[in-house]
Amino acid sequence: NNGKDNCNHDLILFQNQKIDDSKGNIYCIEEWIGAGQFGQVYRCSTESFNGKKTKYAIKISKSTKDAEQFQYEIDLLNCLRNFLGRSPASKNISLIENGFVFCNHYCIVFELLGPSILHEIEKAKYRGLSLKYA
């Protein structure tokens, strides 16, 4: 990918690097959150014209042929967003904010939530979660 990827096909990103979706939205990478089999997740933000920053999580695919699965995920998440709208049921899932391709990588932008359940269970050494998570 013209030197933009590492040996694992992940996009090489740095803090404060900008990613644009070709529709005028610019996402500023703040920090790496985690990685999985199909890509990585970063905390990012956008800045509106009035200077207000909005925080997001951006999931970025690896640049492999399997990355096309991300397009199916984007389509499904858009369908869910359109179906649920802002109904009470939408509070049970992380809704997609945007989906696009950047440097041969699929990007999915989500609302930024708290830590993952897996991370919290690992932190508790697999002893379960306290009632504060209920």
Side-chain angles (χ1 to χ4, degrees):
N1 196 11
N2 296 324
K4 295 178 182 169
D5 294 356
N6 65 19
C7 62
N8 296 319
H9 306 286
D10 290 309
L11 185 61
I12 298 169
L13 293 171
F14 301 96
Q15 189 174 20
N16 297 320
Q17 185 172 346
K18 307 275 196 263
I19 293 179
D20 68 270
D21 67 358
S22 75
K23 296 178 199 167
N25 297 308
I26 299 172
Y27 301 93
C28 180
I29 299 298
E30 293 182 351
E31 71 177 312
W32 180 82
I33 296 175
Q37 183 176 0
F38 299 105
Q40 299 191 70
V41 180
Y42 293 87
R43 181 185 335 268
C44 66
S45 63
T46 61
E47 196 168 313
S48 64
F49 294 111
N50 64 6
K52 181 184 173 204
K53 282 191 174 185
T54 305
K55 305 276 185 177
Y56 294 104
I58 186 166
K59 182 177 175 181
I60 303 174
S61 75
K62 293 180 180 288
S63 64
T64 64
K65 61 182 178 181
D66 298 334
E68 291 177 5
Q69 281 298 123
F70 269 67
Q71 185 59 53
Y72 297 121
E73 185 176 352
I74 290 169
D75 292 343
L76 176 64
L77 290 167
N78 278 325
C79 184
L80 275 171
R81 183 186 62 205
N82 293 337
F83 179 74
L84 294 174
R86 295 292 176 192
S87 71
S90 72
K91 293 182 182 187
N92 297 321
I93 62 170
S94 179
L95 294 176
I96 185 174
E97 297 289 333
N98 195 2
F100 57 95
V101 177
F102 178 80
C103 294
N104 297 320
H105 294 266
Y106 285 88
C107 301
I108 304 175
V109 179
F110 293 96
E111 61 184 321
L112 182 63
L113 301 174
S116 76
I117 292 174
L118 177 59
H119 174 69
E120 293 301 308
I121 290 172
E122 287 171 344
K123 202 164 80 174
K125 297 183 172 59
Y126 299 95
R127 285 181 262 141
L129 298 174
S130 73
L131 291 176
K132 76 176 184 175
Y133 290 100

